[in-house]
Amino acid sequence: MERGAAESAAETIGTPPSEPLPIRARLRGGGGSLAEQLAARPAAGAAVATVAVFALFSVWADNFLTTESLATTLTLSAELGIVAMAVTLLMISGEFDLSVGSVLGVSSLLVPYSMTEYSLPVGLAVVVALAAAVTIGLLQGLVVVYGRIPSFIVTLGGLLLWRSVLQVLTEGFSVTVPGDPRLLDFFSYRLGNGFNVSVIWFLVLAVLLSLFLTRTGPGNWIFASGGNERAARSFGVPVDRVRICLFMLTAGAAGLVGVMQAARFTSVDTTRGANLEFEAVAAVVIGGTSLYGGYGSVIGTLLGCLMIGMIRNGLVLAGVSSYWYTGILGLLLVGAVLINRFIARMQARVA
Amino acid sequence: MMRLRTVIAVAAMAVGLAVLSACGDDDSDSAGSEASSSAADTGYEIASTVGINVTSPFGRVYARGVNDAAERYGVEITNMGLTEDYTEQKAVDYLNSAIASKPDGIITAVYSGKAWEDPIKRAVDQGIPVIDVNSADPRPSDERAPYLFYIGEDGVATGRTAAGVILDEGSPQRAVCVISFPGAFAQESRCKGFLDEMAANDVDAEKLAVSPSDPTKAAETFRGYLTNNPETDAVYTLGPLGGDPAWDGVHTALSEEGKLGEIKWVTNDLSTQTLDAVKSGDLLATLDQQIYLQGYLAVQSLVLFLQNGFQPTSDINTGGLVVDSTNAAEFSKQAEDRLR
């Protein structure tokens, strides 16, 4: 983009460039006008876009503002969001996880599989499923940190390996949860008006993870690990341990969603979770988190997920062929990165 | 111990070694008597190069049909099908290497006429007869690849049948065909037949695409559609219940909205869960394309052709066979045994 054009655009939207602040200060907002504060936050672009998408579909799609529609949007956002928020923390720490979809599939399968093959009670089956996910996260984290292999490669390997394990265990056939265990309601209960208990998980986790990231010491370690790793180490930040824990958190989140899907749909097949990794990374990036680590927010990701949910639901309600969905998501993704870069440049220029 | 062995066996299958042993050894005593005199050990080598993933539930039933017929006629199956998900490139590569091995006959599945035309021509020029299963060359019969004939479903006809089953119950207000792989010929042609037939009867009908891999998205997309079109009272889905994320998603959404048994619902293919839903009245019917029959008939037809040049003069339509409350019970055992 031409320098002049960028500057005049900045004037047009009335956003006075703020000075480049240290990361923590930027997260808290640097003071000054509301617009200035917004521009300094990772979620600013996402917030504006969320309002725009919401307004668009409110006008365009007849039933978008109904309770049922809101429930659909939230349910669509919830499962993606639970995974994507964990991925956000991992990406802020400077790492990637491409294996979330396959891990989701494995843990989802382990619920009915351990019940039918090993006659485990449902509670234990859920524990096995979640423990398996967290263990996978631990393994991948150890390989990344101590094997010094980029997480992109390790988790790409994981994506392939765990999907294959899923196929080997099932011999390609699907497995069904026996009986109708009430305990699974904890993960999939229908709350009325189309609301699903997954939405509560989503919102509670959003608050917890956001507070953890922005208000605690370990949260600060995450930023430090992804920002300037050497500096972080010299200040005594346990970068390796932080990253391994985040790999476990991410895999655990994928495992939780796997259990939710097993609970709601009772049958699990080998495709479960496929392509989740792309949508999760898309949601994180749309939410303003940097691909290079050190910068981002849970709230941004939450907004990214809400947008993805609104678009998916809104297109159906507007009667638009769902063939458009992935295309629009792609445009939104690239658009979000452009906007975020634009904001960052404005900040840098004033320095 | 048993489990360990199963895992090892399946792992071996994943590299394509155990495909033959994985398939059933049921006696096929209903196979017809016309070939009984020459049944034993014809010694033919037949290559089955279908682009069906034979480690998938669907593909394994196909492979079982092929193997049962091969055993019946003493035919050696030199290879079976893909052991990974289909791509056109892989399927055509596979066909090409089958031709190079010069078998007595070839079974293939044509998913797009053009890519298959040259290899099939080459096989026929070398005197190797080819039979097409599962998916016909979509072009008119005088332009299509020179295989002997096609054994399988006519997707458009199946879609019309689905609409017919619903229309027999009275004209719906609005009907929807749910698709999970937009652009895939088999799915699109079923939807086309369904929508054409509904349009011919002045019923508002349209196509809705849902996620093929995420049941939550499929369920919520479908629920969104119902919110927007609450008068919808007929649904056509394109696959079996109990595993496929798309159809399980629709099933869950219908159940959660309290519409099961109320909405007129037809689907494709068989599984234990699908039959249960037919028996309970949640589904009006399921349409079975009888993939076992496609595999079995293809081998049998090649044997009959190789022996005495027998061939039907038109394609063989294996379904949509209508499975509804009147006959669902008969098929339960077969679905459990993975014959359907």
Side-chain angles (χ1 to χ4, degrees):
Chain A
M1 190 184 289
E2 287 294 318
R3 207 179 161 80
E7 270 159 14
S8 64
E11 278 162 26
T12 328
I13 60 171
T15 312
S18 63
E19 27 181 305
L21 297 160
I23 286 161
R24 290 304 301 263
R26 260 195 273 165
L27 285 167
R28 294 213 180 89
S33 75
L34 179 67
E36 188 177 10
Q37 285 198 34
L38 272 179
R41 285 171 176 271
V48 173
T50 305
V51 172
V53 170
F54 183 79
L56 172 73
F57 283 116
S58 300
V59 176
W60 186 18
D62 278 347
N63 292 300
F64 191 70
L65 293 177
T66 60
T67 318
E68 287 80 10
S69 161
L70 180 65
T72 296
T73 297
L74 282 173
T75 306
L76 280 170
S77 313
E79 292 182 3
L80 173 64
I82 290 167
V83 175
M85 290 188 304
V87 171
T88 304
L89 267 54
L90 185 67
M91 279 173 63
I92 293 175
S93 85
E95 301 291 350
F96 259 104
D97 192 342
L98 295 179
S99 70
V100 285
S102 297
V103 173
L104 185 158
V106 167
S107 70
S108 199
L109 173 76
L110 282 176
V111 176
Y113 189 80
S114 47
M115 287 173 79
T116 51
E117 295 288 309
Y118 297 93
S119 309
L120 292 189
V122 59
L124 214 53
V126 169
V127 172
V128 166
L130 292 175
V134 173
T135 309
I136 289 173
L138 173 66
L139 285 175
Q140 292 181 165
L142 289 172
V143 174
V144 168
V145 166
Y146 295 108
R148 292 173 191 282
I149 304 171
S151 54
F152 187 88
I153 302 299
V154 173
T155 57
L156 178 61
L159 179 155
L160 301 168
L161 174 64
W162 308 121
R163 180 68 59 195
S164 164
V165 165
L166 191 59
Q167 290 164 346
V168 169
L169 286 177
T170 58
E171 306 179 31
F173 291 111
S174 56
V175 187
T176 302
V177 175
D180 188 15
R182 301 310 333 154
L183 184 96
L184 291 180
D185 284 352
F186 192 55
F187 300 98
S188 77
Y189 192 68
R190 235 27 204 174
L191 301 167
N193 280 329
F195 284 94
N196 194 294
V197 80
S198 62
V199 174
I200 295 177
W201 281 92
F202 175 43
L203 298 177
V204 168
L205 284 172
V207 171
L208 290 180
L209 289 176
S210 188
L211 289 177
F212 173 74
L213 183 67
T214 56
R215 299 287 156 91
T216 69
N220 210 4
W221 290 349
I222 295 175
F223 282 108
S225 305
N228 183 337
E229 190 182 332
R230 275 173 86 178
R233 284 187 199 278
S234 69
F235 279 107
V237 174
V239 174
D240 293 344
R241 207 155 17 109
V242 166
R243 286 181 176 161
I244 290 172
C245 286
L246 290 176
F247 275 111
M248 291 165 72
L249 175 76
T250 304
L256 175 63
V257 175
V259 171
M260 286 174 172
Q261 290 198 350
R264 186 172 176 203
F265 300 98
T266 66
S267 283
V268 179
D269 80 329
T270 56
T271 64
R272 220 37 68 92
N275 296 335
L276 175 69
E277 55 282 346
F278 298 118
E279 222 167 56
V281 171
V284 173
V285 171
I286 289 170
T289 293
S290 165
L291 276 172
Y292 307 105
Y295 184 73
S297 76
V298 170
I299 301 304
T301 300
L302 179 133
L303 294 172
C305 293
L306 283 178
M307 255 187 282
I308 289 176
M310 281 193 283
I311 291 171
R312 206 175 257 282
N313 182 36
L315 286 180
V316 174
L317 295 184
V320 175
S321 157
S322 19
Y323 303 143
W324 283 98
Y325 167 74
T326 47
I328 290 177
L329 188 58
L331 289 176
L332 181 69
L333 176 67
V334 177
V337 174
L338 283 176
I339 290 171
N340 290 332
R341 183 167 298 173
F342 175 66
I343 291 172
R345 271 198 205 151
M346 284 197 317
Q347 291 168 350
R349 188 161 303 125
V350 188
Chain B
M1 276 293 110
M2 274 307 285
R3 191 156 298 117
L4 180 65
R5 231 182 300 156
T6 313
V7 169
I8 292 170
V10 176
M13 192 178 66
V15 292
L17 291 176
V19 169
L20 298 175
S21 68
C23 300
D25 50 6
D26 281 26
D27 280 337
S28 313
D29 46 10
S30 59
S33 56
E34 74 281 358
S36 57
S37 57
S38 54
D41 279 357
T42 56
Y44 292 127
E45 280 184 18
I46 291 176
S48 162
T49 64
V50 293
I52 300 172
N53 180 351
V54 291
T55 63
S56 71
F58 179 79
R60 290 184 61 171
V61 177
Y62 165 80
R64 200 160 162 183
V66 169
N67 282 323
D68 283 359
E71 197 175 316
R72 173 82 168 77
Y73 294 104
V75 167
E76 190 190 340
I77 302 297
T78 52
N79 49 31
M80 184 50 79
L82 299 178
T83 52
E84 56 201 320
D85 284 343
Y86 164 83
T87 67
E88 183 174 295
Q89 184 62 47
K90 275 185 275 188
V92 171
D93 283 350
Y94 210 51
L95 174 60
N96 279 323
S97 50
I99 295 169
S101 76
K102 300 202 183 303
D104 296 307
I106 290 177
I107 306 166
T108 192
V110 176
Y111 290 105
S112 78
K114 281 228 168 317
W116 268 261
E117 185 166 342
D118 279 349
I120 291 178
K121 263 195 185 130
R122 196 147 32 81
V124 171
D125 286 348
Q126 295 177 26
I128 306 171
V130 178
I131 286 180
D132 179 25
V133 296
N134 191 236
S135 168
D137 189 333
R139 298 172 297 180
S141 57
D142 53 336
E143 290 170 31
R144 68 189 198 182
Y147 51 77
L148 287 176
F149 54 94
Y150 166 67
I151 302 173
E153 177 191 81
D154 174 343
V156 175
T158 299
R160 286 187 182 278
T161 306
V165 169
I166 288 169
L167 289 163
D168 282 349
E169 300 284 311
S171 191
Q173 284 188 298
R174 171 180 287 275
V176 59
C177 176
V178 186
I179 190 166
S180 62
F181 286 103
F185 184 71
Q187 288 202 349
E188 292 282 6
S189 54
R190 285 171 179 176
C191 268
K192 183 178 183 311
F194 181 79
L195 298 181
D196 286 353
E197 187 70 16
M198 285 296 177
N201 287 275
D202 294 323
V203 176
D204 280 336
E206 62 188 315
K207 196 161 61 174
L208 175 73
V210 300
S211 166
S213 60
D214 185 328
T216 304
K217 282 181 204 150
E220 297 305 319
T221 303
F222 186 71
R223 219 160 57 79
Y225 183 85
L226 289 181
T227 305
N228 215 29
N229 305 282
E231 75 278 21
T232 306
D233 53 357
V235 187
Y236 177 37
T237 48
L238 308 180
L241 309 181
D244 189 295
W247 323 131
D248 285 354
V250 171
H251 186 196
T252 300
L254 285 173
S255 152
E256 288 170 353
E257 295 296 305
K259 296 222 173 200
L260 278 182
E262 189 182 297
I263 206 159
K264 293 164 189 153
W265 180 23
V266 174
T267 198
N268 280 110
D269 295 340
L270 281 194
S271 68
T272 306
Q273 285 92 333
T274 314
L275 287 173
D276 288 346
V278 172
K279 284 183 219 159
S280 70
D282 293 346
L283 269 170
L284 281 181
T286 186
L287 307 179
D288 186 9
Q289 66 160 301
Q290 307 189 93
I291 186 67
Y292 176 96
L293 186 62
Q294 295 174 22
Y296 194 99
L297 282 182
V299 173
Q300 189 185 42
S301 303
L302 277 171
V303 169
L304 292 172
F305 179 81
L306 289 165
Q307 283 179 329
N308 292 304
F310 285 119
Q311 57 174 313
T313 52
S314 68
D315 291 343
I316 298 177
N317 190 343
T318 60
L321 176 75
V322 178
V323 179
D324 58 17
S325 57
T326 62
N327 57 355
E330 298 166 28
F331 296 134
S332 291
K333 179 83 171 62
Q334 293 169 2
E336 238 169 74
D337 292 346
R338 321 258 199 212
L339 278 166
R340 284 183 184 266

